[in-house]
Amino acid sequence: MRRLGGETLVIATHNAGKLKEISALLAPFGIDCVSAGSLGLPEPAETGTTFVENALIKARAAAEGAGLPALADDSGLCVDALGGRPGVYTADWAERQWFEGPAGRDWYMAMGKVEGLLCELGPDTDRSCHFACVLALAWPDGESAVYEGRANGTLTWPPRGTMGFGYDPSFVPLGDTRTFAEFDPEEKHAISHRADAFAKLVAEQFGQV
Ligand code: IMP
């Protein structure tokens, strides 16, 4: 298994928030991070049909473009009764296209779309779901590694809570009665799909052999 050395790691994101969060998680292991955006690398089209494919597309494009190892993530919500949808299209389901005014993401609309489909299936429909997160590491020579994390839960309606983002107000993690949007951020980060994937990456990349 290939391990990260002392070189700089490119974080395949143009999102400053993600760069900050990932840099902080990797700093204790002596890894310096730089974003693909700050290196002027283009964002590749996410044409994969799985989280693994999309995370690898992003990590490989950044590693090849920068000539350095790169880390990318892909995540989303998978609802059992909907055959895993919205899955890799989780963000797309929030895309709002008005004839007038700015397009944008509407998370309440996206949660409502999921709820509407569950209602169509009947009142006793299974409301189980999970958030998935895949972290992909890629090296310029083509080698790669993936780490998959998940947070299991159920969907509730109406949405509750003001913290978090995306589908958090409708997601109740297994073993709790609050939605992720009612969790303190630190508490959510400790049990999230992202934390699960990072724990696996850290164990393999920086753990004892
Ligand atoms: P991406 O991995 O940045 O493409 O994100 C995919 C989408 O999944 C996001 O836009 C969110 O809507 C959703 N998502 C991923 N992680 C979470 C989470 O922790 N809470 C709520 N929504 C999430």
Side-chain angles (χ1 to χ4, degrees):
M1 179 266 309
R2 180 88 163 262
R3 286 198 182 207
L4 290 168
E7 51 305 50
T8 298
L9 181 67
V10 181
I11 309 302
T13 181
H14 288 241
N15 176 328
K18 262 192 194 174
L19 174 71
K20 197 172 160 204
E21 191 182 315
I22 296 174
S23 301
L25 282 162
L26 296 178
F29 305 102
I31 302 287
D32 280 331
C33 297
V34 61
S35 79
S38 70
L39 295 177
L41 299 173
E43 279 183 277
E46 295 181 32
T47 52
T49 55
T50 64
F51 297 115
V52 170
E53 281 172 15
N54 279 340
L56 280 171
I57 286 171
K58 291 185 268 188
R60 285 182 175 142
E64 282 164 24
L68 289 168
L71 173 68
D73 80 324
D74 201 47
S75 59
L77 176 73
C78 303
V79 182
D80 292 7
L82 303 182
R85 290 187 298 158
V88 291
Y89 306 106
T90 297
D92 299 341
W93 282 30
E95 219 56 63
R96 191 158 39 85
Q97 307 267 314
W98 297 115
F99 292 107
E100 287 175 37
R105 290 204 171 138
D106 181 338
W107 298 107
Y108 193 84
M109 179 192 76
M111 289 184 280
K113 210 182 273 188
V114 171
E115 181 62 22
L117 290 170
L118 287 178
C119 286
E120 277 174 23
L121 294 174
D124 299 325
T125 300
D126 178 16
R127 304 181 67 85
S128 306
C129 64
H130 67 272
F131 275 126
C133 173
V134 170
L135 293 171
L137 272 176
W139 283 264
D141 62 9
E143 195 163 339
S144 61
V146 295
Y147 305 95
E148 299 185 51
R150 65 191 271 166
N152 294 317
T154 55
L155 290 170
T156 190
W157 194 261
R160 303 194 310 262
T162 54
M163 289 175 278
F165 67 100
Y167 293 69
D168 278 344
S170 64
F171 181 86
V172 178
L174 221 60
D176 213 285
T177 53
R178 296 165 299 165
T179 69
F180 258 177
E182 294 173 316
F183 274 59
D184 285 329
E186 292 74 31
E187 210 182 352
K188 177 191 162 187
H189 290 154
I191 61 164
S192 77
H193 42 309
R194 221 160 275 108
D196 188 28
F198 256 101
K200 288 171 183 164
L201 180 149
V202 165
E204 189 170 286
Q205 289 292 322
F206 309 113
Q208 303 298 317
V209 187

